Amino acid sequence: MQDAVTAVIGSYDIKGRYLDRDAIDALKAYFGSGTARIQAASIITSNAAQIVKAAGSRLFDENPELIRPGGNAYTTRRYAACLRDMDYYLRYASYALVAGDMDVLNERVLEGLRETYNSLGVPIGPTVRGIQIMKAIVQEQVGAAGIDAVGVVAQPFEYMCRQFSEQNI
Ligand SMILES: CCC1=C(C)/C(=C/C2=NC(=C\c3[nH]c(/C=C4\NC(=O)[C@H](C)[C@H]4CC)c(C)c3CCC(=O)O)/C(CCC(=O)O)=C2C)NC1=O
């Protein structure tokens, strides 16, 4: 698992080089947005249950077939599993946000997930949509709190959506 600092140090260590201008700029950007990232993560933490619930309702409003007989989130057990998955995405997004690096998402969330989803018939499209809805809610809350992180908070959500939409995860 890596963060923005260990990522930079790791890549310079491999080359055996001192941190150059590019490295310093990357580190400055990370530390410069550090407080805002942490404040945004704290908003996610405080509102997690509400964010997941609201995103779930919006997702099922848009895709009612998911919770009808034959839908993948039909039955109380699968409905709960779906919301639990949304909660995983939100929690790990908050970690990646603080880390300033997406590695934690690859390592802890995305690896092998597509195979699992395919074998259980969990549809990828609506899953991606659920993550996008959570992104929009978080951006709204972060913006409303006056935190200058509306752009960086999008990154982990967009990363997960992108990885889901590609083949080999
Ligand atoms: C922390 C990393 C992590 C992730 C991401 C994770 C996901 C995950 N989601 C699962 C199931 C599931 N995931 C869903 C999700 C959905 N169905 C839908 O129609 C919606 C589109 C979507 C919600 C947005 C459902 C319904 C199941 C249960 C499927 C089944 O058992 O038939 C399973 C199978 C095992 C289980 O039911 O617990 C895993 C491993 N587990 C992990 O440890």
Side-chain angles (χ1 to χ4, degrees):
M1 207 188 293
Q2 80 190 7
D3 56 44
V5 176
T6 56
V8 168
I9 293 174
S11 81
Y12 280 74
D13 184 33
I14 284 173
K15 295 180 266 182
R17 287 170 51 201
Y18 281 92
L19 301 174
D20 60 16
R21 187 57 183 264
D22 289 346
I24 301 296
D25 285 348
L27 292 169
K28 271 190 186 158
Y30 174 62
F31 287 113
S33 61
T35 306
R37 289 171 190 277
I38 291 166
Q39 287 172 327
S42 149
I43 289 197
I44 294 176
T45 298
S46 309
N47 301 309
Q50 179 255 324
I51 294 167
V52 168
K53 192 160 170 268
S57 311
R58 213 183 287 177
L59 177 67
F60 296 131
D61 279 351
E62 287 180 16
N63 301 274
E65 72 285 356
L66 292 173
I67 49 174
R68 289 193 190 126
N72 187 260
Y74 176 67
T75 76
T76 320
R77 181 187 69 77
R78 290 204 295 256
Y79 186 97
C82 178
L83 291 187
R84 179 213 55 197
D85 284 9
M86 304 254 286
D87 186 63
Y88 284 149
Y89 301 133
L90 185 62
R91 179 161 58 90
Y92 282 97
S94 77
Y95 296 167
L97 181 62
V98 169
D101 192 284
M102 302 300 126
D103 191 51
V104 64
L105 301 177
N106 292 331
E107 198 176 300
R108 306 304 293 272
V109 180
L110 297 167
E111 197 175 311
L113 188 56
R114 177 178 278 273
E115 287 83 349
T116 304
Y117 269 17
N118 285 343
S119 72
L120 292 169
V122 179
I124 303 288
T127 299
V128 167
R129 180 67 192 133
I131 295 171
Q132 286 169 340
I133 295 170
M134 289 199 291
K135 175 184 85 170
I137 295 174
V138 169
Q139 285 187 303
E140 213 173 276
Q141 295 188 347
V142 165
I147 299 162
D148 181 20
V150 174
V152 285
V153 291
Q155 287 168 5
F157 297 98
E158 283 168 4
Y159 184 82
M160 286 188 280
C161 291
R162 215 160 43 238
Q163 296 302 309
F164 257 124
S165 309
E166 283 169 11
Q167 278 312 310
N168 305 310
I169 64 165

